[in-house]
Amino acid sequence: MKILRKKSLESMLVSAEKTHLSKTLKAKDIAALGIGAVVGVGIFVATGTGAHMAGPAIVISFILAAIVACLCGLSYCELATMFPVAGSTYSYTYITFGEFAAAIIGWCLTAEYLVACSAVASGWSGTLIGILKNAGITLPQAIVASPSKGGIVDLPAVLITLTLTYMLYYGMKESSRVNNIIVVVKIAIILIFLVLGATHINPANYTPFMPFKIKGVLLGASTVFFSYIGFDAISTTAEEAENPSRDVSRGLIICLAVVSFLYISVAFVLTGMVPYKEIISENAVPGALARVGIKWGSTLVGVGAILGMISTMIAVLYGQIRVFMVMSRDGLIPKFISKVHPKHNTPYVATLLTGITAAIIAGVLPLDIIVEFLSVGTLLSFSAVSLAVIVLRKKMPNLERKFKCPGVPFTPIITIIACIFLLTTLRAITWIGFLVWLCIGVIIYFTYGIKHSSLEQEKSEVNRKQDVN
């Protein structure tokens, strides 16, 4: 059956060689890209949102989410060293489960990256406008709000998205340098918050520690899980890494270790500083410092939030661009999308398509996009990667693995069970929205992808030659 045909590793490597992307990224660059993706809007917003669901036990929620992310990270490390190609989960699924499953996972990743970028851009705009208001500068409502909020367009959200798109269009090496600087500054600001906040912890705020029992902890875990979206963007860097088999796995492990520590630490300090019922979700971390009278610290952390969201947008834009590029290269979406710029060595068509689409969404839609919608695509992708490790240990036992996921098949099985459990805690409206999105992806595959797939073209070429002979 056509929908079950699989891409070979050799075929993917040949396609990758033809694309000619610059191989300039080292482990530190890859780790910084992941940290930039994960430590963004989540740490400044999700922490407060989750605290309203789990109370001080949001710390446990973050630990549970971190465990699931880290377990899946082990599977990503194994597959990234086996298949040094862009496309992340999409590419692994194509090799393991076939074309239709890959098309669906690619569509899931689109929901994850594209919507995430637009939502973060809106959050960035709101934070910037808040800082400007505090400084006495008020911009016209028409150019700083979406139509549903009384404006015409959220211009700051559009401009930041297009600016970052141009950076990625110009070159990945330059973009990674900017991202690395932002990540260093952002981590430094978060550490300052931890130091300042730790001196204002009131132990009484931790009581009751689990006001909504285990149900609240689990709901908090499934809700804040979207904070970890983006770390899988690391595996899309394989074609641009200096040494993919080494740098990708190291970068991923460093990323997960750093972000897990930061999330758990911030959650602990925040709920110790402010009673969980009084945390302002939209301004959780800066608001906590302002509450205890550290105004300069609040402003500094607000600037950190601005920078944090920029690095998140860079990472999710990058991930979406590479997914589009590989899907186009495989013929599941139009081929011209994977064209590489002759001077900058970047997939410029995919970059412009992604950036412009994200900018339009960010400009006209409000920030209150359901965050669980992002988690659905992420959790399904994580499950696919974990299952792929088990399957490939059976089907490709002799293929070299520079990094081997420990405890197979038990580690991937535990990861899959955890992902499925978190998926069951999401609301029905979230699943309805996601299924609508999924149907669109299925329609695109059966009306275009199945006919223009590179595997279909190769088969047609073979048949043509046979007919000639």
Side-chain angles (χ1 to χ4, degrees), residues 56-80:
I58 186 61
V59 174
I60 299 177
S61 299
F62 270 116
I63 291 174
L64 291 175
I67 289 172
V68 176
C70 289
L71 286 174
C72 193
L74 297 174
S75 295
Y76 267 103
C77 284
E78 178 168 324
L79 296 183

Side-chain angles (χ1 to χ4, degrees), residues 404-427:
K404 296 187 73 172
C405 176
V408 175
F410 302 106
T411 300
I413 288 174
I414 292 171
T415 306
I416 294 170
I417 293 173
C419 288
I420 292 174
F421 181 78
L422 289 177
L423 284 169
T424 62
T425 65
L426 297 175
R427 295 181 295 175

